[in-house]
Amino acid sequence: MHDKTVAELSRDLARGKVSSVELTQHFLDRIQEQDGRLKTFITVSAEQAMADAREADKRRKAGNATPWTGIPFAHKDIFCTEGVRTTCGSKMLENFVPPYNATVTQHFRDAGAVCVGKTNMDEFAMGSSTESSYFGATTNPWGSNRVPGGSSGGSAAAVAAQLVPAATATDTGGSIRQPAAMCGVTGLKPTYGRVSRYGMIAFASSLDQGGTLARSAEDNAMMLNVMAGFDPKDSTSVDREVPDYTATLKEPLKGLSIGLPREYFTDQLSPAMGKVIREAIREYEALGATVKDISLPHANLAIAAYYVIAPAEASANLARFDGVRYGYRCQDPKDLLDLYTRTRAEGFGSEVKRRIMVGTYALSAGYYDAYYLKAQKVRRLIQQDFIEAFKEVDVIMSPTTPSPAFVQGEKTSDPVTMYLEDIFTISTNLAGLPAMSLPAGLVNGLPVGLQIIGNYFSEARLLNAAHQFQQATHWHRLTPGH
Ligand code: GLN
């Protein structure tokens, strides 16, 4: 059962071949067996899941099931779930039980989907390896000493290990696409504003976007159908019609024009990675697409701009964790200042502290213009590069990551090499564009992801392009150990 996609499980449920109770129990058993080793979950909510599964089976009998009714899945532990603790991978929120649901959580509940638990992640979504989680690092099911990528490494690894068929995730600089690539699964970061951020714990509010991880493009489309849409509770959510993302998956790709940015295909890309990506692009040509060289002249500035903007926004967002309102509080504070400082010193991990310090510095009087304002201007230039590029091509393709999954511990002592992981993904967040990663091959037995970037609100086209590739290739069907 666990090797089936959401689309297949949905059909099985509709035909009565399996019940949600059976399905949910099956996935919970797999989590029980395997997650001690993989650590893809921070919290497993087995009782709640079984109760929801019984409800889903009743709803189906009553004749008002949706395609998601009874389907087990998981939420990244950044989405607030009423009554189920939500930690964001931090000691600060170790015992935080939200009194409300995120809009994304509520949409899945309304559809009757069954959340089996909350997945592991880098603390406050800061990282590229899921090693900064307070609850311990997630292991990539493709290699016992490999990272799953991050920050949504728990979600990606859980899908890859078939502990759930799908999981939600978030992407501020690459946190859906990079773990998707490293775990051999398919992920989508939608256009900024397409999915509500209400109840999604904030990291860098102008970059954060909720999205999807599953094994096929079709399943990502099914997820986005549930998640996307205007939300009056999120002032940056966009009021724009939501198409049925599954309706256009089968459209032929004839005439699709693909741009290959010169700046992404340089000598620095390893020959093995380059080969996988070029073969994937040849497959697209065989499907009727045409290829064109393009330029994103400011691509090399993306990481520098991001590591000013994201920490600046994070330092403001994380000011709310002060030991007064909710979350961790230090023992026996001497006075108010001691309460603030010790709570934050004890509650946050080192990467989070590093970001708060960088961000506070960049925003301080005297440095604001030199760093924050400058970074915002660079951001605009990066966006303009994409606007120009999309006058010439329909989609842009590149590798998702510079290399396959790296070894645990390899980059933890060197934050800058960790930051370089997102070299291909970060600029789309700065520009607010949608992008996907899909499995495109293997290097040394480890999965490699192809990134497809689209114009604003072109999620349907990205999903269509990914689905057509997956009809013609088998990479997304490979599982660890195939
Ligand atoms: N790796 C990037 C960072 O650490 C992006 C993380 C993310 O997308 N949440 O900031």
Side-chain angles (χ1 to χ4, degrees):
M1 271 192 279
H2 51 267
D3 53 345
K4 295 194 173 177
T5 63
V6 174
E8 288 163 349
L9 292 174
S10 184
R11 281 193 287 274
D12 286 355
L13 283 165
R15 290 190 193 126
K17 276 175 74 177
V18 70
S19 71
S20 177
V21 165
E22 288 164 329
L23 210 50
T24 304
Q25 190 61 57
H26 178 73
F27 282 105
L28 286 171
D29 289 346
R30 280 183 70 78
I31 294 168
Q32 174 92 40
E33 273 160 36
Q34 298 192 30
D35 212 47
R37 179 172 60 87
L38 296 173
K39 291 211 187 78
T40 65
F41 281 86
I42 293 174
T43 304
V44 178
S45 42
E47 254 174 57
Q48 168 94 52
M50 290 310 291
D52 290 348
R54 284 190 291 273
E55 267 319 297
D57 286 335
K58 268 196 227 150
R59 176 168 169 179
R60 187 168 295 281
K61 276 213 187 81
N64 52 8
T66 77
W68 275 94
T69 304
I71 302 273
F73 78 109
H75 277 303
K76 183 177 181 178
D77 205 15
I78 196 168
F79 288 99
C80 284
T81 41
E82 186 179 352
V84 177
R85 83 169 171 154
T86 301
T87 70
C88 220
S90 183
K91 178 178 178 184
M92 194 56 99
L93 292 174
E94 187 177 6
N95 299 310
F96 174 59
V97 179
Y100 71 108
N101 279 325
T103 297
V104 163
T105 311
Q106 194 58 48
H107 282 331
F108 276 102
R109 286 201 71 74
D110 293 344
V114 176
C115 176
V116 297
K118 310 293 293 289
T119 58
N120 205 355
M121 55 181 286
D122 280 300
E123 186 178 6
F124 285 102
M126 298 174 189
S128 301
S129 66
T130 317
E131 289 168 292
S132 77
S133 169
Y134 173 66
F135 301 90
T138 298
T139 293
N140 189 328
W142 287 84
S144 58
N145 59 349
R146 302 269 161 183
V147 303
S151 65
S152 313
S155 285
V159 172
Q162 303 182 342
L163 306 185
V164 276
T168 58
T170 61
D171 192 312
T172 303
S175 280
I176 291 177
R177 291 160 286 160
Q178 188 252 13
M182 290 190 168
C183 291
V185 300
T186 307
L188 167 67
K189 170 227 173 288
T191 308
Y192 183 77
R194 180 77 290 194
V195 168
S196 168
R197 291 185 299 108
Y198 178 76
M200 194 178 102
I201 296 170
F203 162 12
S205 310
S206 77
L207 301 159
D208 296 343
Q209 185 58 201
T212 57
L213 281 167
R215 299 228 315 286
S216 68
E218 183 181 22
D219 286 1
N220 276 262
M222 287 180 69
M223 290 185 85
L224 195 60
N225 276 353
V226 174
M227 291 169 77
F230 175 62
D231 180 6
K233 293 184 189 139
D234 170 4
S235 61
T236 56
S237 141
V238 177
D239 192 358
R240 189 178 161 121
E241 203 186 321
V242 180
D244 174 358
Y245 292 104
T246 60
T248 41
L249 293 172
K250 296 206 173 84
E251 279 177 15
L253 296 188
K254 199 162 169 35
L256 182 82
S257 74
I258 299 172
L260 303 182
R262 204 165 298 144
E263 294 77 9
Y264 289 175
F265 290 88
T266 65
D267 297 347
Q268 279 170 354
L269 186 65
S270 82
M273 292 290 292
K275 185 162 174 275
V276 167
I277 299 304
R278 281 178 209 287
E279 272 168 20
I281 289 160
R282 263 200 294 281
E283 186 63 50
Y284 272 101
E285 289 180 294
L287 290 168
T290 58
V291 172
K292 190 171 178 179
D293 279 336
I294 58 157
S295 177
L296 299 170
H298 300 93
N300 64 332
L301 302 176
I303 295 220
Y306 174 89
Y307 276 100
V308 173
I309 295 168
E313 294 185 12
S315 77
N317 275 325
L318 271 54
R320 74 191 69 177
F321 301 104
D322 56 8
V324 177
R325 282 162 290 190
Y326 52 83
Y328 178 78
R329 176 181 293 175
C330 70
Q331 292 281 311
D332 306 320
K334 280 204 310 286
D335 51 29
L336 186 62
L337 191 62
D338 188 44
L339 168 76
Y340 289 154
T341 50
R342 259 194 318 118
T343 292
R344 290 168 67 81
E346 292 165 16
F348 288 135
S350 55
E351 183 58 29
V352 175
K353 285 178 193 159
R354 183 165 21 245
R355 308 270 179 125
I356 292 173
M357 285 194 281
V358 169
T360 307
Y361 180 85
L363 289 177
S364 51
Y367 295 110
Y368 182 93
D369 288 358
Y371 295 110
Y372 187 70
L373 209 61
K374 185 79 159 197
Q376 289 290 23
K377 288 180 180 168
V378 172
R379 179 180 194 171
R380 176 69 213 196
L381 293 173
I382 289 168
Q383 181 187 28
Q384 199 59 42
D385 285 354
F386 281 110
I387 292 173
E388 292 305 318
F390 284 122
K391 287 180 186 160
E392 292 181 57
V393 296
D394 299 319
V395 294
I396 295 173
M397 291 191 186
S398 77
T400 307
T401 59
S403 62
F406 49 92
V407 171
Q408 286 173 331
E410 191 181 307
K411 299 188 198 235
T412 36
S413 57
D414 185 355
V416 176
T417 51
M418 189 74 91
Y419 296 171
L420 290 172
E421 266 305 301
D422 295 317
I423 189 126
F424 299 123
T425 51
I426 264 180
S427 45
T428 53
N429 298 77
L430 291 167
L433 293 163
M436 286 190 77
S437 179
L438 53 152
L442 299 176
V443 166
N444 299 329
L446 295 169
V448 169
L450 171 75
Q451 177 175 235
I452 317 180
I453 305 169
N455 211 338
Y456 297 102
F457 298 100
S458 66
E459 287 82 3
R461 171 167 260 172
L462 295 182
L463 289 159
N464 164 229
H467 180 73
Q468 289 304 312
F469 182 81
Q470 294 186 338
Q471 295 306 104
T473 60
H474 70 293
W475 302 114
H476 66 294
R477 288 205 201 89
L478 294 185
T479 49
H482 11 293

